[in-house]
C-alpha cells in the first residue's frame, strides 16, 4: 500500500495508469478465483443504493438560504388540480395541489441576477436551482426572464409536511420561482402530488362529510412572521363535467393559518394522548420551567371539505333494508291462528336481512363507534325479530280465548251442520269482508288489538329511525 501511495504521489496520470494496468494484469489469476463473488457483491450494493435513491423522493418545498434577513409574511394560495382518491378504509387520501407562495424580499432581485450572471460567465459551473423546472438555461442569454435565469442565491422557505404518508414514485413535480425585477416581490409555486393520512368521522355515514387536512410544518416567528390565506380553488387546469373522484364531491378548499407556542403544542398531545415527562428526566420533552412558553411558531393547514355521494348507498343499502322491514308488517295482518306462517315469514325476513348485512359490511367504514346506517340496521333487526315473540303471545291469547268460549257455551251439533251447509253466497260475502272485520268476529279481540298496536309501533319506530339517520342523530 505504501508503494502504491508513493507511486500515486510521484508520477503523472499516464504513468500511474500504465503501472496500474501492469499490476492488474499480474493479478488477473487471483481475481479469477474470487472475482465473481466480489462482482456479485458490488452489483448487489449498486441495486440497493439505486432502490434507496428511488424511495427517497425529494420534498416539494426544500428551501435554501438559511434564515431570511428579517421575518417575512407569506401569502398562501392553494389550487387543487384534482382529488385523486379517498381511502376511507385506511384513512388516507391522494391529491395534486399547486401551492403558490408569495412574499417580499428586497434582496431577491440582486441575488437572482448575481446567480444568473455567475452561471453565464462561468464562475458557477452548474446552476443548482434554475428558476423553473421547464426552462433551459443558456450561457448566451442576456435577459433575466424566469425561463433562462438561475435562482441559486434567492432565499426560499423550507416547509415540511407532517401528515404525508407517501410521495408516489415517478411523480411529476414542476415548479417555478418568479422574481420580479421591477419590485421586491417573489413567488414560488410547485405541484404537490402526495398521499396523506388524516382522521375521519363516520358517525353520519353515508350522509357524512369529511375534512381532509394537509398539515405543513411549523416555523419560528423569527423567520416567518405569519401565513396569510389568499386565492384558492377546488379545480385547476383540468376541465370537464362530472364527478372528479369516486364516491365524493369536493365542496371547498381553505387555508387555516395557525399561531401557537411550542409549549401549548406539546402540552396538547401529552395531556390528551399520553402523559407528562417524569420529574427526574434530565432533558424532558416539555420542561416544567416554562422554557418553551416564549417560543412562538406559525404554520398553516390546507383543509379540503368533501361530502359523500349518498345516492348510491341509499339505493343499494338503505332502500332494500327498509323494504324487508316493510314486509315484516304483513305479519300483523295474517290471522293469529296461523302460527307457522307468521313465524316462517319473520325468520325468512331475518335471514334475508342478515344476508344483506354481509354485503353492506364490505362498504361500511371500520370505526370505534356505530355509524348511522349501522344503527338503522340494528333497529330493523329488532323490528323484524319483534314479530316472533309477538306472534307467540297473540297465538296464546287467541287459543286461550277460544278454549274459554268453548267451555262457556258449547255449540250443538245441529248448528255445526247448519254452518257446514251455508250457501256459497255467504262464503263469498265473508270472503269479501276485510281482514279486520273477520278478526273482530272471531274470539280474542285482545289479540287483534295487540296486532294493530304492534303494526303501528313498528312503522313509527322505523320511520322515526330513518328520519333521525338522515338528519345525523
Amino acid at each position: 500500500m505504501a508503494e502504491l501511495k508513493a507511486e500515486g504521489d510521484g508520477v503523472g496520470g499516464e504513468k500511474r495508469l500504465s503501472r496500474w494496468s501492469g499490476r492488474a494484469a499480474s493479478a488477473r489469476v487471483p481475481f479469477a478465483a474470487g472475482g465473481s463473488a466480489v462482482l456479485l457483491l458490488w452489483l448487489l450494493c449498486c441495486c440497493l443504493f439505486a432502490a434507496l435513491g428511488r424511495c427517497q423522493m425529494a420534498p416539494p418545498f426544500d428551501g435554501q438560504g438559511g434564515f431570511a434577513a428579517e421575518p417575512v409574511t407569506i401569502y398562501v394560495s392553494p389550487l387543487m388540480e384534482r382529488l385523486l382518491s379517498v381511502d376511507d378504509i385506511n384513512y388516507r387520501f391522494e391529491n395534486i395541489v399547486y401551492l403558490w407562495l408569495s412574499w417580499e424580499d428586497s434582496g431577491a432581485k440582486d441575488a437572482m441576477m448575481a446567480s444568473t450572471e455567475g452561471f453565464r460567465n462561468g464562475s458557477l459551473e452548474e446552476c443548482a436551482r434554475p428558476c423553473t423546472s421547464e426552462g433551459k438555461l443558456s450561457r448566451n442569454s442576456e435577459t433575466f426572464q424566469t425561463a433562462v435565469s438561475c435562482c441559486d442565491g434567492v432565499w426560499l422557505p423550507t416547509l415540511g409536511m407532517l401528515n404525508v404518508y407517501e410521495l408516489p414514485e415517478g411523480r411529476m413535480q414542476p415548479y417555478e420561482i418568479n422574481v420580479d425585477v421591477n419590485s421586491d416581490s417573489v413567488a414560488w409555486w410547485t405541484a404537490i402530488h402526495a398521499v396523506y393520512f388524516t382522521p375521519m368521522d363516520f358517525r353520519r355515514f353515508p350522509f357524512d362529510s369529511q375534512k381532509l387536512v394537509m398539515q405543513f410544518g411549523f416555523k419560528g416567528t423569527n423567520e416567518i412572521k405569519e401565513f396569510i390565506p389568499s386565492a384558492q380553488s377546488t379545480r385547476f387546469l383540468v376541465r370537464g363535467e362530472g364527478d372528479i373522484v369516486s364516491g365524493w364531491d369536493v365542496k371547498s378548499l381553505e387555508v387555516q393559518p395557525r399561531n401557537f407556542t411550542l409549549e401549548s403544542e406539546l402540552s396538547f398531545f401529552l395531556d390528551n394522548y399520553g402523559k407528562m415527562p417524569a420529574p427526574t428526566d434530565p432533558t424532558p420533552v416539555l420542561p416544567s420551567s416554562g422554557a418553551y412558553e416564549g417560543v412562538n411558531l406559525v404554520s398553516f393547514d390546507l383543509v379540503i371539505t368533501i361530502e359523500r355521494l349518498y345516492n348510491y348507498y341509499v339505493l343499494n343499502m338503505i332502500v332494500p333494508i327498509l323494504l324487508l322491514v316493510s314486509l315484516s308488517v304483513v305479519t300483523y295482518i295474517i290471522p293469529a291462528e296461523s302460527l307457522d306462517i307468521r313465524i316462517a315469514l319473520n325468520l325468512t325476513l331475518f335471514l334475508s336481512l342478515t344476508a344483506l348485512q354481509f354485503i353492506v359490511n364490505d362498504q361500511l367504514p371500520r370505526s370505534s363507534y356505530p355509524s348511522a346506517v349501522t344503527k338503522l340496521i340494528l333497529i330493523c333487526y329488532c323490528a323484524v325479530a319483534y314479530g316472533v315473540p309477538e306472534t307467540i303471545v297473540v297465538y296464546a291469547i287467541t287459543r286461550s280465548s277460544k278454549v274459554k268460549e268453548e267451555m262457556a257455551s258449547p255449540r250443538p251439533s245441529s248448528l255445526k251442520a247448519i254452518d257446514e251447509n251455508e250457501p256459497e253466497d255467504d262464503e263469498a260475502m265473508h270472503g269479501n269482508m276485510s281482514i279486520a272485520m273477520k278478526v273482530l268476529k272471531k274470539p280474542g279481540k285482545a289479540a287483534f288489538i295487540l296486532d294493530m298496536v304492534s303494526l303501528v309501533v313498528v312503522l313509527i319506530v322505523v320511520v322515526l329511525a330513518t328520519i333521525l339517520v338522515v338528519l345525523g342523530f
Side-chain angles (χ1 to χ4, degrees), residues 221-237:
T221 52
N222 59 339
E223 180 180 357
I224 297 178
K225 183 178 180 180
E226 61 179 335
F227 292 99
I228 298 179
S230 188
Q232 50 200 299
S233 175
T234 58
R235 294 281 294 270
F236 188 58
L237 296 181

Side-chain angles (χ1 to χ4, degrees), residues 391-443:
T391 294
I392 296 175
V393 172
V394 168
Y395 178 76
I397 293 174
T398 303
R399 292 297 300 170
S400 176
S401 300
K402 280 191 175 182
V403 170
K404 290 180 181 179
E405 185 175 344
E406 290 177 357
M407 292 178 62
S409 57
R411 299 180 66 188
S413 58
S414 58
L415 292 177
K416 292 182 180 179
I418 294 174
D419 290 341
E420 292 175 356
N421 296 325
E422 282 184 349
E424 296 181 357
D425 294 340
D426 291 342
E427 294 181 359
M429 180 183 65
H430 286 292
N432 293 330
M433 294 175 62
S434 65
I435 296 177
M437 292 302 296
K438 288 183 180 180
V439 176
L440 283 173
K441 291 183 66 177
K442 293 181 180 181

Side-chain angles (χ1 to χ4, degrees), residues 10 27 37 66 76 149-150 202 221 246 269 287 313 321 428 434 436 441 455 457:
V76 183
S149 299
C150 179
F202 301 109
T221 52
S246 177
F269 289 103
Y313 299 94
I321 292 173
S434 65
K441 291 183 66 177
L455 186 150
V457 170

Side-chain angles (χ1 to χ4, degrees), residues 332-400:
Y332 311 109
I333 302 176
I334 298 176
E337 297 87 350
S338 304
L339 177 65
D340 54 345
I341 297 177
R342 293 178 62 152
I343 291 182
L345 176 61
N346 281 278
L347 291 179
T348 302
L349 293 176
F350 193 89
L351 293 175
S352 300
L353 194 59
T354 303
L356 183 61
Q357 188 182 14
F358 281 113
I359 301 175
V360 171
N361 284 341
D362 293 335
Q363 305 180 44
L364 291 177
R366 277 65 169 171
S367 58
S368 59
Y369 44 82
S371 62
V373 71
T374 303
K375 296 177 182 179
L376 179 61
I377 292 175
L378 292 176
I379 293 174
C380 292
Y381 264 119
C382 295
V384 173
Y386 170 76
V388 176
E390 194 273 346
T391 294
I392 296 175
V393 172
V394 168
Y395 178 76
I397 293 174
T398 303
R399 292 297 300 170
S400 176

Side-chain angles (χ1 to χ4, degrees), residues 46 102 106 120 140 148 153 164 211 220 353 397 401 413 448 466:
C46 290
S102 59
S106 58
R120 291 173 181 174
N140 299 323
V148 293
V164 169
K211 291 187 178 296
L353 194 59
I397 293 174
S401 300
S413 58
F448 169 75
T466 305

